Amino acid sequence: MASRPSPRSSPPGSDQVPAPHGSGLLRRLPWLDRALLVILGRPRRRLGWLLPLVLLLVVCFADWNTSGDFRVLSWLVVVPVMAAALCPVGTTALFAVAAVAAYAVIDQAWDHQYRAGLPDFILVSMGGLLAIAAAWLRRRGERRSLSVRNVADTTRATVIRPLPPSWGGLLHAHIYLPADAEARLGGDFYDIQPSPWGTRALLGDVQGKGLGAVAVAANLLGTFREAGFHQPDLRVVGERMEVRMERNRLYEQAMGYKDGDRFATAVLLDFPPPGSAGGYVDVINFGHDPPFAVSARGVRLLDACSGRLPLGLNELAPASERAAAPHRIRLEGDETLLLTTDGVTEARDRAGAFFPLAEALEAAVAEDPQLAESPYRLVRAVRDRMLRHVYGRLQDDTTIFAVRMAPPAPGEVQPLVSLARWTEISSTATALPGRQGSAEPPG
């Protein structure tokens, strides 16, 4: 049986790209982050006891080797305090006991006139007790924080489903960087949906943050997955998503939510079925940053498909421009489409300059012409250059998504899943009792 891939070593073409832990300096220096994880913090606290132990030995050695006029033994109170910040409760208690014992032994070894005496002994003892209580409170807070973090991760994994490599005949990779490393939730969303008429891909960004934005993203993804499979016309898929956004707005206004007028930008892609001649992609852009086509020959911006208003604002457009008409773009077999949310293009450095995504892509391709062959390497290159530009400080949630047609295997002429099989799946899924005349439920 093949072993499951480690999340730290995802293969090229896979869905998840590991991101650096932490924020700020740690995102720019992954080696420092790994060192701190080993020495100080979760998930490995194996060496967290070293610093309190070194401090204990240094204080004892210094007090033993100085004169009676300069006593530092009372500094032992810092030992359990440091342990409380780095170690579990049991280890903190051991250091508290060790500090009290070391104080008693070393202080008694001095002549009577040089002893620190009972007041400092009480200080070290009370410091140890308070350190134990602090360690217990810290561990309880960490457990609560971990529980909240697991809930956030589960919520996001439920909305943004994992995708298998080469799903629907596409190679893809993504990376998501939340502006708030603790919240880990935002309105960025993406998905790939194979269908009998081609493979559809989606990247979008809901206005706002928090659970409200996640709920809107979940609604849009659900509509995309159903309409993207059942509808042969990409125009209808876009219109269904527009209707879903309007229904969500009416619901939030009826509930009295403050953010009842949310909108979402999105890019909707339609690739030809696996095994077909290909050479193109149909694009509908709902007010989102246009995608880039990246290859060894260079980078080109697909800005011809821009111009529509975001989802939820279609009523503001003239009646003649409300139809979600797709634009067909020529796409070479060696080109990879790169899509990003505005967290990339609006990322600023300390001087306020925006991240030059186009220039960064051209520089990356110039350094490594084969970069576009792997979506995995492409999104990592964009991530690293963007984080260097902003010195690891993100102002907005950021998603980088790369997708390309999978090269056919030698001698392969049939699609990965035949059209007949898709038709069979579609007819079986929709032929429900009492609904034989409807391909999908109304509304």
Side-chain angles (χ1 to χ4, degrees), residues 70-82:
F70 183 76
R71 298 295 308 280
V72 296
L73 195 60
S74 59
W75 292 6
L76 286 172
V77 70
V78 181
V79 173
V81 173
M82 180 179 291

Side-chain angles (χ1 to χ4, degrees), residues 388-401:
R388 285 197 297 268
H389 178 79
V390 300
Y391 297 93
R393 299 181 180 274
L394 297 176
Q395 291 82 35
D396 195 4
D397 297 333
T398 299
T399 299
I400 308 169
F401 182 61

Side-chain angles (χ1 to χ4, degrees), residues 19-101:
H21 298 281
S23 59
L25 179 65
L26 298 185
R27 279 179 172 164
R28 290 187 287 121
L29 301 175
W31 62 268
L32 178 60
D33 183 40
R34 289 192 293 268
L36 291 178
L37 281 175
V38 173
I39 297 175
L40 301 179
R42 276 198 324 260
R44 291 168 292 183
R45 296 184 177 273
R46 298 174 183 173
L47 302 180
W49 50 270
L50 274 181
L51 291 181
L53 178 61
V54 170
L55 180 61
L56 175 66
L57 297 177
V58 168
V59 172
C60 293
F61 179 82
D63 188 80
W64 186 266
N65 290 276
T66 53
S67 65
D69 296 329
F70 183 76
R71 298 295 308 280
V72 296
L73 195 60
S74 59
W75 292 6
L76 286 172
V77 70
V78 181
V79 173
V81 173
M82 180 179 291
L86 303 176
C87 304
V89 179
T91 307
T92 303
L94 289 177
F95 276 110
V97 172
V100 172

Side-chain angles (χ1 to χ4, degrees), residues 191 200-204 224 228 233-239 241 266-271 281-286 288 305 324 326-327 339:
D191 199 11
R200 279 77 187 264
L202 173 70
L203 176 76
F224 166 73
D233 191 348
L234 190 67
R235 184 198 311 264
V236 178
V237 178
E239 291 173 351
M241 294 179 63
V267 177
L268 188 59
L269 307 175
D270 188 8
F271 292 87
V281 59
D282 291 332
V283 184
I284 302 179
N285 191 332
F286 296 95
H288 200 84
C305 54
H327 294 262
L339 302 94

Side-chain angles (χ1 to χ4, degrees), residues 30 49 55 97 124 155 311 317 406 412:
W49 50 270
L55 180 61
V97 172
V124 175
T155 301
L311 294 166
E412 182 182 14

Side-chain angles (χ1 to χ4, degrees), residues 174-261:
H174 90 282
I175 186 169
Y176 171 71
L177 298 175
D180 186 348
E182 296 299 326
R184 304 173 69 84
L185 286 174
D188 294 359
F189 59 94
Y190 75 96
D191 199 11
I192 295 176
Q193 178 58 60
S195 77
W197 301 276
T199 301
R200 279 77 187 264
L202 173 70
L203 176 76
D205 183 7
V206 178
Q207 175 257 334
K209 296 181 176 65
L211 292 178
V214 175
V216 175
N219 291 333
L220 290 175
L221 284 172
T223 301
F224 166 73
R225 289 162 186 165
E226 291 304 309
F229 177 81
H230 290 290
Q231 296 298 331
D233 191 348
L234 190 67
R235 184 198 311 264
V236 178
V237 178
E239 291 173 351
R240 291 294 175 89
M241 294 179 63
E242 182 66 53
V243 170
R244 189 66 185 89
M245 197 68 187
E246 175 65 17
R247 291 169 55 196
N248 185 84
R249 183 180 64 84
L250 294 175
Y251 168 77
E252 291 190 347
Q253 289 179 351
M255 292 295 296
Y257 295 156
K258 294 187 299 182
D259 298 325
D261 56 348

